[in-house]
Amino acid sequence: MDVRKAVICGVCPGGCMVDVHLKDGKLIDIFPHKGSPFGALCVRGEFAKDILYSPDRLKKPLIRMGKKGKGEFREATWEEALDYVAEGFMKVKNEYGSRSLMSHMGRGGFEQSTTDFMGISEPRNRAVPGFFAPLGSPNASGVGSICYNSIGIFAPITTIGLYGTNILPDIANADHIVVWGTNPITNSPPFQFRAILNAKNKGVRITAIDHYKTNICKYADDYYLVRSGTDGALALGLLKVIIDERLYDQAFVNNWTVGFAELRDYINSKTLEEWAAISGLKAKDINRLARQLAAKEKTTLTMYTGLEYSNSGVQTIRAIYTIWALLGKLDKPGCLLLDSKVNMERIKEIICAKSAEEPVGAKEYPLFCELTQTAHFLKFPQAVLKDDPYPIRGLLNLGSSILTSYPNTYRYAEALSKLDFFVVIDRCFTEDCKYADVVLPATTYFEIESYVFHGSNIKKRERIVEPLGEARRDIFIIHEIAKRLGYGDNYPRDQMGILERALGNKELAEQLNREGFIKIAPPERIFKKYEKGGLRKDGKPGFPTPSRKFEIKSSLLEKYGYPGLPEYVEPTESPLSQPELTKTYPLVLNTGTRIMTSFRSQFLNIAGLLKIQPDPLVWINTKDAKKRNIEDGDKVLVKSPRDGVEFVAKVTDEMPPGEVEVNMGGGSSYQTESWAKSNANRLTDDNNCDYISGFPVLKALLCDLEKL
Ligand SMILES: Nc1nc2c(c(=O)[nH]1)N[C@H]1C(S)=C(S)[C@@H](COP(=O)(O)OP(=O)(O)OC[C@H]3O[C@@H](n4cnc5c(=O)[nH]c(N)nc54)[C@H](O)[C@@H]3O)O[C@H]1N2
Ligand SMILES: Nc1nc2c(c(=O)[nH]1)N[C@H]1C(S)=C(S)[C@@H](COP(=O)(O)OP(=O)(O)OC[C@H]3O[C@@H](n4cnc5c(=O)[nH]c(N)nc54)[C@H](O)[C@@H]3O)O[C@H]1N2
Ligand code: SF4
Ligand SMILES: [Mo]
């Protein structure tokens, strides 16, 4: 038995440190590496060997033989497949122009080096600004069209001037932790939950805000259940109490904010009872929560996807930041810490043409395209099917299962089927692959050497096993395609090249390669930097916004024609906005809360994990179920105005009356039968989006249930 200690888990990008047992070069078992704060193992990690050796893994390049959608392919050599890929894309370029080429990267591109060299969701100065940029296409896109950017870019940049990654909950020093629209228990990696657990053991108060009683609600001292998609109204109700009761930090408001008076006027357009009624809470609960937020000096906040998928998700998140600002809880110990990250140097010149064209989606979501410098993938179908704003004809998709992840599956399937040339790089034969011209097999992280960041430290990722079949590392596949298109040098071609470019210099790269670990002491923490300088590039005091203030009223949003204040918008498909439709679809449909056993569409073919949760579930309240004659474990049809999809009922009072929650991720034929037929995104709508981010409203729609 070969035992390897303190290596990085290779199942997901989480970066947990584990010990592995190997025999004859094969992974046998995996354990958490005790003693390290990053030594964790989630339930999926426990099934690492089944995931690594899953018979569903792609092992050879495939070239399509039959009609699109049929799934008939032949195996090819890498040389043949890569030449064919380059030819296919060049043909599209020659026929329709460079702008007709698009790239898209999903969750499967989150291995650190893939993200660093292909990543686009945040301006990183190591990455090429889009795979087809050197040919002159502005159309790089990614899963940031549907995840993270509202919380990571749009809300924080328009309010505080920083990226979300630079606004950190100081969980270790807090007296009160608010967990809002996120579930650190199921969401992996498990580090944040551990920190919360430690805090709880020290007696720190935990408050959770969700749309149903999740397991983090059960851990919390208090929890509040809102009607899906209405957190904006709750936040404004809290702000009303904070302002009416003068709980705010007067000096901070005077010196460091713009828009306070306008916000107060806007909030007073409704009574507290009215704000409360919209969100499904009582005025006295909002009053109590506001007082609790103000009471403790060290109140911190963690929030995420539960807030991103409503019609005003960006404004909701801005309203929540405003609560912390008014309470004077920014950049103080135990509160929300602010950082200004210094980008690493770029050591390699990137070949890149600046396109004169606007990317797809710039017309509808100009701020999205400006701040991310990418195309909006929600507008991909219309570009293919309607040539709007111009035709997209070629797509390179790395690590995304588009047909299970994007709303209105049929429309995306139609778009994929109409492409002239479509290439998929994945580990499994997803539903998307059926429409591909070429499918290229990617390695798991167990099969590659790389690096991960643990706080400010850098750890080398060791190769644990040799690549399966002919699978190759993503960034090398990308290098090979780029080489054939004339710009291979944009991407590293070997391990040292990766490390040198990633770390910004040769010495660090050699050190990491030699020692496996580089400790970099974080800079000494300075608090209240808005008073002293340290947040802005010019070194002056203030926030890095145009006004130098915390912008309750955002000048950037106004510049783009959006309301500057964090105004509330009722979900456009809700019992309040559509009473007629509600007669046919009386339940609020929420989709996609994380489950521990899957990772979006992934692992729904792994027997051990499926034992824990075999079927895709729809959670429904006991009374709502009884009305429909539904019992726990029944097969039911979930019907939305778009389609009907089969799920298995979980009848429980943990789901409040009037709300349901369905699991997402199903819909690929390599998954087990019950998941393969249950694609939640057949129920969702690609035309119902947050007006700023263009994120689809995946968590505030209408539906009904029928027993099958
Ligand atoms: N209705 C509804 N829809 C949703 C959501 C929701 O809550 N509700 N959530 C949204 C969110 S938050 C997100 S992030 C998106 C996720 O959208 P996707 O990015 O499509 O996420 P996954 O389903 O995880 O698909 C990842 C794909 O990458 C492959 N893969 C994994 N690792 C690698 C790798 O190292 N290399 C390569 N080449 N491929 C790899 C996997 O096999 C899988 O096919 O879905 C969104 N869609
Ligand atoms: N095990 C596992 N881990 C994952 C993933 C996975 O698929 N599986 N996906 C990864 C991805 S792509 C992402 S983006 C992150 C996301 O990480 P999280 O955002 O933490 O994901 P969830 O656990 O779904 O937590 C979202 C919470 O918001 C709640 N919620 C839904 N609608 C509303 C609402 O209207 N208001 C409020 N207040 N709450 C609401 C949901 O019930 C849920 O409890 O997790 C990552 N980690
Ligand atoms: S979260 Fe789970 S699967 Fe991901 S790296 Fe950590 S242990 Fe592995
Ligand atoms: Mo996500």
Side-chain angles (χ1 to χ4, degrees):
M1 186 86 69
D2 175 13
V3 179
R4 306 264 284 278
K5 288 196 181 278
V7 298
I8 304 291
C9 171
V11 175
C12 94
C16 303
M17 261 161 84
V18 294
D19 299 340
V20 294
H21 291 184
L22 298 158
K23 201 171 173 198
D24 303 327
K26 277 195 88 175
L27 179 68
I28 302 290
D29 234 329
I30 180 166
F31 305 93
H33 180 69
K34 296 240 164 64
S36 156
F38 302 102
L41 191 67
C42 75
V43 64
R44 297 181 320 285
E46 289 168 33
F47 291 90
K49 89 172 172 320
D50 302 340
I51 290 166
L52 171 60
Y53 299 118
S54 154
D56 295 315
R57 285 280 308 276
L58 288 165
K59 297 196 183 72
K60 270 187 166 273
L62 302 173
I63 293 181
R64 185 167 54 80
M65 299 286 287
K67 262 183 76 173
K68 284 199 180 211
K70 286 268 180 257
E72 289 158 17
F73 287 79
R74 71 172 169 85
E75 291 182 349
T77 65
W78 271 102
E79 279 304 301
E80 185 194 6
L82 289 165
D83 288 347
Y84 186 60
V85 167
E87 246 169 63
F89 286 135
M90 285 315 279
K91 215 167 139 210
V92 170
K93 176 185 181 306
N94 294 336
E95 204 162 318
Y96 301 96
S98 299
R99 65 183 189 176
S100 294
L101 291 169
M102 194 170 205
S103 60
H104 180 263
M105 189 167 92
R107 265 271 164 193
F110 282 17
E111 191 279 311
Q112 193 66 49
S113 69
T114 316
T115 302
D116 279 351
F117 301 111
M118 279 287 280
I120 40 169
S121 67
E122 212 177 284
R124 290 172 189 266
N125 60 3
R126 277 161 287 175
V128 181
F131 183 72
F132 293 114
L135 296 180
S137 167
N139 290 311
S141 70
V143 83
S145 298
I146 201 177
C147 174
Y148 178 72
N149 282 341
S150 287
I151 216 141
I153 300 183
F154 311 130
I157 287 284
T158 56
T159 316
I160 305 176
L162 293 170
Y163 290 107
T165 40
N166 297 338
I167 306 171
L168 314 168
D170 190 7
I171 291 173
N173 298 304
D175 295 330
H176 184 184
I177 302 166
V178 179
V179 181
W180 197 333
T182 175
N183 186 356
I185 300 186
T186 44
N187 167 5
S188 57
F191 311 144
Q192 192 178 61
F193 179 53
R194 286 191 163 191
I196 292 176
L197 214 57
N198 286 342
K200 167 110 182 150
N201 291 339
K202 284 193 307 191
V204 169
R205 177 174 208 92
I206 318 261
T207 298
I209 307 173
D210 210 288
H211 84 106
Y212 76 104
K213 192 173 167 189
T214 59
N215 38 14
I216 192 71
C217 293
K218 292 176 203 163
Y219 263 89
D221 297 273
D222 289 302
Y223 67 90
Y224 300 85
L225 303 186
V226 295
R227 172 166 63 95
S228 289
T230 67
D231 299 84
L234 167 58
L236 293 166
L238 289 166
L239 285 165
K240 183 163 170 59
V241 179
I242 290 165
I243 295 173
D244 287 353
E245 312 275 325
R246 297 197 165 271
L247 300 174
Y248 57 89
D249 178 335
Q250 183 78 59
F252 184 87
V253 168
N254 291 350
N255 296 332
W256 300 112
T257 67
V258 284
F260 178 76
E262 286 106 316
L263 176 74
R264 188 179 51 206
D265 292 346
Y266 171 67
I267 283 175
N268 285 333
S269 65
K270 291 195 198 309
T271 62
L272 180 60
E273 285 69 22
E274 285 169 326
W275 288 122
I278 294 173
S279 60
L281 292 168
K282 297 204 169 64
K284 73 170 187 342
D285 291 333
I286 298 187
N287 205 301
R288 173 166 178 263
L289 177 57
R291 285 166 187 283
Q292 280 177 353
L293 295 180
K296 301 243 186 195
E297 200 182 313
K298 298 174 178 174
T299 302
T300 197
L301 165 73
T302 171
M303 49 180 173
Y304 203 178
T305 57
L307 302 169
E308 288 191 313
Y309 305 107
S310 69
N311 291 86
S312 56
V314 173
Q315 297 286 29
T316 296
I317 300 159
R318 295 186 65 250
I320 296 172
Y321 278 135
T322 304
I323 297 173
W324 262 255
L326 293 203
L327 292 174
K329 295 191 192 303
L330 292 182
D331 219 15
K332 288 187 188 162
C335 299
L336 281 178
L337 304 178
L338 307 179
D339 264 345
S340 48
K341 218 188 310 188
V342 186
N343 276 328
M344 291 203 191
E345 263 175 78
R346 182 196 295 211
I347 61 163
K348 180 92 195 161
E349 264 319 300
I350 300 287
I351 310 165
C352 182
K354 172 86 183 140
S355 173
E357 305 265 4
E358 297 255 63
V360 167
K363 181 176 56 162
E364 296 86 353
Y365 302 109
L367 185 68
F368 176 102
C369 295
E370 181 59 33
L371 289 181
T372 64
Q373 293 290 305
T374 68
H376 205 306
F377 203 65
L378 257 283
K379 294 295 161 198
F380 160 79
Q382 85 183 23
V384 180
L385 300 171
K386 301 248 157 81
D387 293 353
D388 176 10
Y390 47 75
I392 290 292
R393 291 291 183 269
L395 179 69
L396 172 70
N397 181 41
L398 188 153
S400 174
S401 167
I402 294 168
L403 295 182
T404 59
S405 297
Y406 279 84
N408 192 350
T409 310
Y410 296 113
R411 196 163 146 80
Y412 276 87
E414 196 192 346
L416 293 184
S417 75
K418 295 276 160 64
L419 285 167
D420 281 27
F421 197 66
F422 177 32
V423 176
V424 174
I425 307 175
D426 206 295
R427 295 169 177 171
C428 298
F429 194 84
T430 62
E431 207 60 15
D432 303 2
C433 293
K434 292 184 179 165
Y435 300 93
D437 293 279
V438 185
V439 176
L440 300 173
T443 44
T444 68
Y445 317 154
F446 281 120
E447 297 151 79
I448 63 170
E449 281 187 313
S450 193
Y451 55 98
V452 294
F453 293 105
H454 277 166
S456 59
N457 302 327
I458 311 166
K459 169 121 177 82
K460 184 174 161 188
R461 180 190 285 286
E462 288 180 40
R463 178 183 292 120
I464 306 298
V465 299
E466 288 306 312
L468 250 67
E470 293 180 20
R472 287 192 186 176
R473 178 178 188 163
D474 288 291
I475 204 65
F476 295 157
I477 301 175
I478 288 297
H479 169 88
E480 287 294 329
I481 301 174
K483 190 168 91 183
R484 285 163 173 78
L485 296 174
Y487 46 91
D489 268 0
N490 277 357
Y491 301 94
R493 83 185 82 190
D494 53 35
Q495 173 64 7
M496 273 322 276
I498 288 175
L499 293 185
E500 276 174 27
R501 290 197 204 189
L503 307 186
N505 74 60
K506 226 178 159 138
E507 290 68 42
L508 270 186
E510 278 167 1
Q511 191 190 342
L512 185 66
N513 206 32
R514 210 171 43 239
E515 295 165 21
F517 186 75
I518 299 179
K519 202 169 164 56
I520 300 174
E524 194 201 340
R525 183 155 294 286
I526 299 165
F527 297 103
K528 289 180 89 180
K529 289 185 283 297
Y530 47 85
E531 286 182 349
K532 301 162 191 155
L535 291 177
R536 293 178 56 88
K537 275 211 180 87
D538 60 16
K540 293 189 175 146
F543 291 88
T545 55
S547 64
R548 295 171 168 231
K549 303 280 175 77
F550 178 101
E551 296 198 357
I552 301 171
K553 189 174 178 207
S554 164
S555 53
L556 190 55
L557 287 178
E558 288 191 322
K559 188 173 143 196
Y560 280 81
Y562 301 122
L565 290 175
E567 293 176 10
Y568 173 71
V569 179
E570 174 64 21
T572 56
E573 187 177 305
S574 86
L576 296 193
S577 59
Q578 300 227 37
E580 267 310 303
L581 192 66
T582 306
K583 287 181 189 154
T584 320
Y585 302 102
L587 299 169
V588 174
L589 170 67
N590 199 316
T591 68
T593 190
R594 273 79 193 148
I595 58 174
M596 283 177 168
T597 46
S598 75
F599 205 98
R600 306 293 76 190
S601 68
Q602 301 176 61
F603 315 127
L604 298 169
N605 59 332
I606 303 298
L609 288 166
L610 287 161
K611 255 193 210 149
I612 303 170
Q613 181 177 332
D615 298 305
L617 299 178
V618 51
W619 291 51
I620 181 170
N621 175 267
T622 317
K623 285 194 193 113
D624 290 330
K626 202 163 174 205
K627 259 190 235 162
R628 292 162 179 81
N629 203 17
I630 292 169
E631 286 178 25
D632 196 55
D634 280 350
K635 283 189 176 162
V636 293
L637 194 67
V638 179
K639 298 177 293 182
S640 83
R642 270 73 53 190
D643 201 359
V645 182
E646 191 180 314
F647 287 87
V648 172
K650 172 155 172 104
V651 177
T652 165
D653 284 333
E654 288 173 4
M655 185 57 58
E659 294 259 332
V660 304
E661 168 76 50
V662 306
N663 294 148
M664 70 78 65
S668 260
S669 49
Y670 77 92
Q671 302 164 345
T672 54
E673 200 192 330
S674 75
W675 283 93
K677 69 179 174 208
S678 299
N679 187 337
N681 279 319
R682 279 165 45 195
L683 300 169
T684 56
D685 183 353
D686 63 325
N687 263 322
N688 179 3
C689 297
D690 181 322
Y691 63 95
I692 298 172
S693 66
F695 279 22
V697 178
L698 302 171
K699 299 194 189 285
L701 298 166
L702 291 172
C703 74
D704 200 7
L705 264 58
E706 181 189 312
K707 183 171 169 155
L708 282 173

